[in-house]
Amino acid sequence: MRAVLGGAAMVTVVISALILFVLFRGAIDFFRSIGWDFGILVDDSAAPGWFPRRERFDLLTIVLGSIVMGLLAMIVAVPLGLGTAVYLSEYAPPRVRRIVKPAVEVLAGIPSVIVGYFALKFIAPNIVDPIFSPDQPRNMLVAGMAIGVLVVPIMASICEDALRAVPMSLREASFGVGARKSTTTVRVVLPAAVSGIVAAFIIATSRAIGETMVAAMAGGRDGSGPRVLSPLEPGLTMTAAMTNAAGGTDQVKAGAPFQVLFFVGLLLFVLTMSLNMIADRVVRKYRQKY
Amino acid sequence: MIQVQAVQPERTAESSVVFSVRDLNVFYGEFRAVRDASFDINENEITAFIGPSGCGKTTVLRCLNRMNDFIESARVEGKVQYHGVDLYDPQINSNEVRRRIGMVFQKPNPFPKSIFENVAYGAKLSGRFSKTEINEVVENALRQAALWDEVKDRLKASALGLSGGQQQRLCIARCIAVKPDVILMDEPCSALDPIATARIEDLMQEIKKDFSIIIVTHNMQQAARVSDRTAFFTTEINPESDRRTGVLVEIDSTRKIFSMPSDERTELYVTGRFG
């Protein structure tokens, strides 16, 4: 039994190592085929962009795309997620909590492709188009908002854990000097839970940046595009750039346009792993002992 | 769900009576935790609530500043009058009740903030004080709580770095700083060593000229040492549900309770033969 379980653990570790190995190998192949010319990664032409099949690899295009959509996602996810968490932890009667909490968990279980369709069929026509009338129905705002919806559950659930970990005795101390419930929440409970809330934010950001399906479906670009900043423009994330090139009519199979995806993957991996490590550090450093 | 009874003509509260409690019943859901407690609490006295575990003394204490409001299933019946005002009248602002009737808890519960911020917390909420006035309020409260000399050089340090006894005195200072009329203490020394306990007891004697104090304690010697009056609670087993309900047996001067109580159950308890 012990050997079987140990073997399972071992296989998991080996798989992680293999993924890293494949990413590194691909990335090195890419740099070989561009002759270690790092200048190619920042396009300083008049119309910079990510056009891998024309061997134009402006990293800034897809990194900015990821950042813009990640920011938009967090603008949606922070108020909704933190608000849900505060409501569930501080205000909801047990009866309501028993309904709302599973509902939030259901949202967490919805496959992202469905959220992608939700973006195209609801967020774009009913929210973004009437308010902002963008040129294209698919754009970074639509995708960013949908990614935000997708990361609300993780934001809500980690924040709620942090809030519920604040001992009741602190709330009572605040009530005991005549503080209102809202004051107690803002002045005592939220500050005491700040490390968990910051960690939730970082982990949710990491998820948002790693989200692929929604960014590819609703972002509005198929594997290539110019460098843009405006949320109302179609845009390309690192993840969408990778997935569009991996299948379908835009598929690329070899050479630098193919190998660059491994480099982007490695970058994405390093980015999300750093965020998770920062979150871990924040929790450790600022953990309250109450 | 708080039932407020119709206002009945009641004997006018004498100026020396802070609380007048009549037929207090407390339920947690279906379970009756306290049955028919009636008693008066006098101003500028220390009243001790004693009795075995589960006798409802803490539950009764928490009715006196509506702290039970936060327990979803808790329901209070009967009349709790504070200076002649029905505390459970729907017109009453329960936050204001808790500002006037402060509370010190069993386990020291300082906020994870600085010593200064802990004491200033309640005073700042009122918005009535300027910054310099807040400094004064904090200093006075810490002096009254006999903590000033120990912390005056590290007001900005975290309150969590204080010893247990210091933390509890800080909690008393935090309570005093909002200038309450009554301080409810729920076993304030149960987590402290004998020396820290003695300091809190001395402190109670010091501040009782300014506040009315009600202390719940498991420790009969403590009740005998510090209190002017003592209320003895005990448990009755409900024959239907086999659950224990707390009842107030008697309340009288502490000397009388410990030397010649009116009720045999009190005598058995204070002489250590029961409970």
Side-chain angles (χ1 to χ4, degrees):
Chain A
M1 191 64 188
R2 191 194 162 111
V4 173
L5 296 174
M10 182 72 83
V11 170
T12 312
V13 172
V14 168
I15 290 171
S16 304
L18 267 178
I19 289 174
L20 258 183
F21 170 73
V22 169
L23 285 178
F24 265 110
R25 195 184 53 184
I28 290 168
D29 286 346
F30 166 65
F31 283 117
R32 256 199 217 120
S33 50
I34 61 169
W36 302 93
D37 174 17
F38 291 102
I40 204 170
L41 297 176
V42 180
D43 187 346
D44 47 13
S45 71
W50 178 264
F51 301 102
R53 275 175 300 165
R54 283 187 263 148
E55 308 236 334
R56 289 178 59 191
F57 307 110
D58 179 45
L59 263 191
L60 217 49
T61 300
I62 56 175
V63 170
L64 278 176
S66 286
I67 289 174
V68 170
M69 288 190 226
L71 272 178
L72 292 168
M74 295 318 289
I75 290 171
V76 172
V78 167
L80 283 182
L82 187 55
T84 304
V86 171
Y87 175 71
L88 283 177
S89 150
E90 306 301 310
Y91 288 90
R95 233 169 342 101
V96 179
R97 204 183 122 76
R98 275 199 295 274
I99 297 164
V100 175
K101 203 171 157 61
V104 174
E105 277 156 15
V106 164
L107 183 58
I110 292 176
S112 57
V113 63
I114 292 171
V115 177
Y117 277 105
F118 174 71
L120 299 177
K121 293 293 163 199
F122 184 83
I123 296 179
N126 296 310
I127 300 176
V128 174
D129 289 353
I131 301 177
F132 300 100
S133 16
D135 296 335
Q136 305 283 336
R138 297 193 300 156
N139 52 57
M140 293 204 278
L141 182 58
V142 170
M145 286 172 74
I147 296 170
V149 169
L150 208 61
V151 299
V152 160
I154 187 131
M155 185 76 199
S157 118
I158 302 177
C159 285
E160 199 210 344
D161 287 348
L163 294 171
R164 290 176 78 84
V166 175
M168 195 57 206
S169 65
L170 289 187
R171 295 179 182 84
E172 288 190 327
S174 175
F175 297 143
V177 292
R180 285 194 308 252
K181 188 145 190 168
S182 55
T183 311
T184 301
T185 302
V186 174
R187 304 272 292 266
V188 175
V189 181
L190 286 173
V194 76
S195 72
I197 293 168
V198 171
F201 177 82
I202 297 173
I203 291 168
T205 306
S206 155
R207 284 281 175 90
I209 288 175
E211 168 49 35
T212 307
M213 204 61 213
V214 175
M217 289 171 75
R221 289 278 173 207
D222 299 318
S224 62
R227 190 196 294 168
V228 284
L229 262 180
S230 164
L232 294 178
E233 301 274 342
L236 195 59
T237 60
M238 294 156 78
T239 52
M242 288 177 72
T243 192
N244 276 315
T249 50
D250 274 344
Q251 196 174 1
V252 284
K253 291 199 172 102
F258 178 66
Q259 291 152 347
V260 71
L261 302 174
F262 290 88
F263 172 62
V264 174
L266 187 65
L267 206 61
L268 202 58
F269 176 83
V270 170
L271 196 65
T272 51
M273 196 171 80
S274 327
L275 283 173
N276 290 343
M277 277 163 61
I278 292 169
D280 201 53
R281 287 283 288 276
V282 167
V283 171
R284 268 172 220 242
K285 182 156 182 205
Y286 297 102
R287 176 173 288 150
Q288 302 279 0
K289 45 182 198 250
Y290 308 121
Chain B
M1 295 298 282
I2 290 156
Q3 182 180 333
V4 181
Q5 295 184 335
V7 180
Q8 296 163 354
E10 187 104 345
R11 75 189 168 90
T12 42
E14 296 159 34
S15 65
S16 65
V17 174
V18 182
F19 286 106
S20 169
V21 176
R22 293 292 173 270
D23 303 322
L24 178 70
N25 285 272
V26 188
F27 299 84
Y28 293 122
E30 292 296 298
F31 166 59
R32 190 205 298 248
V34 176
R35 183 169 61 77
D36 297 334
S38 296
F39 57 91
D40 287 343
I41 301 288
N42 297 332
E43 205 158 49
N44 298 110
E45 282 189 353
I46 299 178
T47 306
F49 286 1
I50 61 169
S53 303
C55 69
K57 51 197 190 301
T58 294
T59 298
V60 170
L61 188 79
R62 294 165 76 98
C63 287
L64 299 179
N65 70 342
R66 295 194 45 180
M67 207 55 146
N68 282 338
D69 288 12
F70 299 105
I71 299 169
E72 197 73 27
S73 62
R75 184 162 53 89
V76 175
E77 284 178 11
K79 183 155 276 193
V80 181
Q81 285 201 324
Y82 167 70
H83 293 298
V85 176
D86 181 354
L87 283 188
Y88 286 88
D89 186 311
Q91 305 286 320
I92 293 285
N93 173 346
S94 64
N95 299 315
E96 183 58 23
V97 168
R98 282 184 291 271
R99 200 196 62 70
R100 292 190 194 203
I101 305 166
M103 192 153 197
V104 175
F105 299 85
Q106 188 168 356
K107 201 171 141 258
N109 55 355
F111 299 128
K113 300 175 189 280
S114 72
I115 292 167
F116 182 90
E117 286 301 325
N118 262 277
V119 182
Y121 179 79
K124 277 185 176 174
L125 292 182
S126 67
R128 286 176 308 187
F129 303 104
S130 70
K131 212 168 173 196
T132 39
E133 283 170 330
I134 293 266
N135 291 341
E136 267 173 48
V137 166
V138 169
E139 177 172 345
N140 289 339
L142 284 169
R143 280 188 192 281
Q144 259 189 302
L147 191 59
W148 174 252
D149 290 331
E150 291 160 61
V151 300
K152 64 182 175 200
D153 300 322
R154 47 171 173 151
L155 292 174
K156 289 210 169 80
S158 168
L160 301 179
L162 298 172
S163 71
Q166 288 173 323
Q167 287 188 3
Q168 195 61 303
R169 276 179 283 143
L170 181 73
C171 293
I172 293 172
R174 180 174 63 193
C175 180
I176 288 174
V178 294
K179 301 196 166 40
D181 174 43
V182 182
I183 301 179
L184 307 178
M185 296 185 165
D186 184 6
E187 298 187 38
C189 303
S190 64
L192 305 182
D193 65 49
I195 294 167
T197 298
R199 297 205 60 165
I200 302 268
E201 289 178 4
D202 290 346
L203 169 61
M204 290 170 68
Q205 297 302 333
E206 283 291 312
I207 62 175
K208 82 173 204 189
K209 63 181 190 302
D210 300 312
F211 308 97
S212 311
I213 298 174
I214 305 176
I215 177 173
V216 164
T217 176
H218 263 309
N219 178 334
M220 276 185 283
Q221 285 75 32
Q222 181 170 57
R225 279 193 303 264
V226 301
S227 69
D228 302 297
R229 277 157 57 85
T230 297
F232 172 64
F233 292 78
T234 191
T235 55
E236 278 183 355
I237 295 178
N238 183 337
E240 293 158 30
S241 62
D242 206 38
R243 296 187 76 170
R244 288 155 183 270
T245 290
V247 289
L248 172 63
V249 176
E250 60 180 311
I251 176 165
D252 214 323
S253 78
T254 298
R255 196 156 34 87
K256 190 144 178 289
I257 290 285
F258 283 93
S259 55
M260 41 177 166
S262 327
D263 195 292
E264 195 193 359
R265 289 171 293 175
T266 315
E267 187 172 358
L268 288 174
Y269 185 76
V270 298
T271 53
R273 277 175 285 172
F274 147 72

